[in-house]
Amino acid sequence: MESLPACGPHKRTHWTSGLALPCALAAAVLLAVGCGSRSLSNAPVEDRGTGLSRPAPVDPVKLLPGAENAGKPGYYSVKRGDTMIRIGLENGQNWRDIARWNNLETPYLIEVGQVLRVVPPGSDGTQAVVRPVLPGSAGSAPVQGGSGAQASSAPVNGNGNGSASPASSGSDEDVGWIWPAQGPLVAGFDEAKNKGLDISGKSGDPVLASADGRVVYSGAGLRGYGNLIILKHNNTFLTAYAHNKSLLVKEDQTVKKGQKIAEMGNSDSEKVKLHFEIRRQGKPVDPAKYLPAK
């Protein structure tokens, strides 16, 4: 029988090293599998059977001032682009009164969605001023002026004529309007495109108060109107005088019918003209139905 060759120490060392390498690799694989198993066994488990998953945190909803009054009569929800001056004009009020009624410390800081009181405290905002209908009148006709001149009850035609209708005395309707400027009429009232009358003239021509009243705004803070004056005549009517060259009266000043309050110009306009509006409870109405025939 042939005997195995003798192996020296260096021969055994070589065989052992050759065997050790596969064993080391196998051990590394087992270790990786074991670690992977432990990692999977320690993964978080969501119990879908109970439906009790933790909700994500939600930021609290910011409630804007007056939100509880949204939609109520006598309240106004601020829209994008609004200013206090425009809100006052659109609601027939002095913007400073609106600021006071809502305790606004900085009236120029209002937010979209904020709800403002636009009627005096104690008023529910549902009472409208109703003018008595006289026999034979149209019901919506303007009133006879305090100066004795009758206001037109229909738009003035090309000849400057219009029918007139008498009205009851002692109401807010008894204003006694006069024309605020003497130039020719270049644009009439159009509820969608032109909320008043446009009267042409020369730069510096006088602009007159159309009736007795108090100045509730004098400035250039309303886009599209240029240098603007707003007069409040009573609880029903406001008038607006736009595109002036210069303003001659200040806020809270009392003015008389026919008083010069501004000079005609072209501020925020392509040509010299006076844009004149009459607002009844904030809604623009055709001034030609209220002014006397020329």
Side-chain angles (χ1 to χ4, degrees):
M1 181 175 181
E2 186 176 347
S3 60
L4 293 173
C7 296
H10 61 284
K11 296 285 185 178
R12 286 197 302 272
T13 301
H14 177 73
W15 179 83
T16 304
S17 300
L19 183 61
L21 182 58
C23 291
L25 292 174
V29 171
L30 291 175
L31 180 61
V33 172
C35 293
S37 299
R38 285 195 300 271
S39 176
L40 291 174
S41 64
N42 292 333
V45 177
E46 180 181 356
D47 185 356
R48 297 182 181 274
T50 62
L52 299 177
S53 58
R54 180 176 296 178
V58 178
D59 294 334
V61 177
K62 179 183 178 182
L63 292 178
L64 294 174
E68 68 278 5
N69 296 315
K72 294 181 181 179
Y75 290 87
Y76 177 84
S77 296
V78 178
K79 303 187 296 293
R80 187 175 301 277
D82 275 342
T83 64
M84 287 296 293
I85 301 165
R86 183 175 294 279
I87 293 172
L89 182 63
E90 297 290 339
N91 290 277
Q93 301 290 357
N94 183 342
W95 69 274
R96 293 186 184 276
D97 288 340
I98 295 176
R100 187 175 69 254
W101 298 336
N102 292 277
N103 299 316
L104 300 181
E105 295 181 359
T106 50
Y108 51 87
L109 292 179
I110 53 177
E111 300 182 70
V112 174
Q114 183 175 352
V115 180
L116 300 174
R117 170 182 281 277
V118 291
V119 296
S123 172
D124 60 9
T126 60
Q127 297 179 352
V129 176
V130 179
R131 176 175 171 267
V133 178
L134 300 178
S137 71
S140 61
V143 302
Q144 183 175 350
S147 62
Q150 290 183 336
S152 169
S153 62
V156 177
N157 60 28
N159 297 323
N161 297 321
S163 60
S165 174
S168 61
S169 61
S171 73
D172 277 356
E173 304 285 344
D174 287 336
V175 177
W177 306 99
I178 64 171
W179 284 82
Q182 296 303 313
L185 186 66
V186 293
F189 176 82
D190 183 322
E191 192 168 356
K193 299 179 181 179
N194 192 27
K195 300 182 184 301
L197 302 178
D198 291 345
I199 304 169
S200 68
K202 301 186 301 293
S203 179
D205 280 355
V207 174
L208 311 179
S210 189
D212 294 349
R214 181 169 61 91
V215 181
V216 296
Y217 182 72
S218 178
L222 192 56
R223 181 177 299 177
Y225 284 78
N227 293 325
L228 171 69
I229 289 175
I230 302 175
L231 301 183
K232 186 176 180 70
H233 303 284
N234 50 42
N235 292 328
T236 302
F237 288 106
L238 295 176
T239 50
Y241 310 75
H243 305 308
N244 299 290
K245 174 183 178 181
S246 59
L247 307 177
L248 306 180
V249 292
K250 298 180 180 179
E251 290 185 18
D252 290 328
Q253 181 177 338
T254 300
V255 299
K256 291 294 185 180
K257 177 172 62 177
Q259 179 178 337
K260 183 178 177 180
I261 59 175
E263 293 181 344
M264 194 180 295
N266 62 343
S267 57
D268 214 355
S269 172
E270 295 180 353
K271 58 183 178 181
V272 175
K273 66 179 181 179
L274 171 66
H275 175 75
F276 174 67
E277 296 182 7
I278 295 179
R279 298 249 177 173
R280 189 178 190 277
Q281 296 178 335
K283 180 181 179 180
V285 294
D286 186 356
K289 293 184 179 181
Y290 291 79
L291 296 170
K294 275 191 171 184

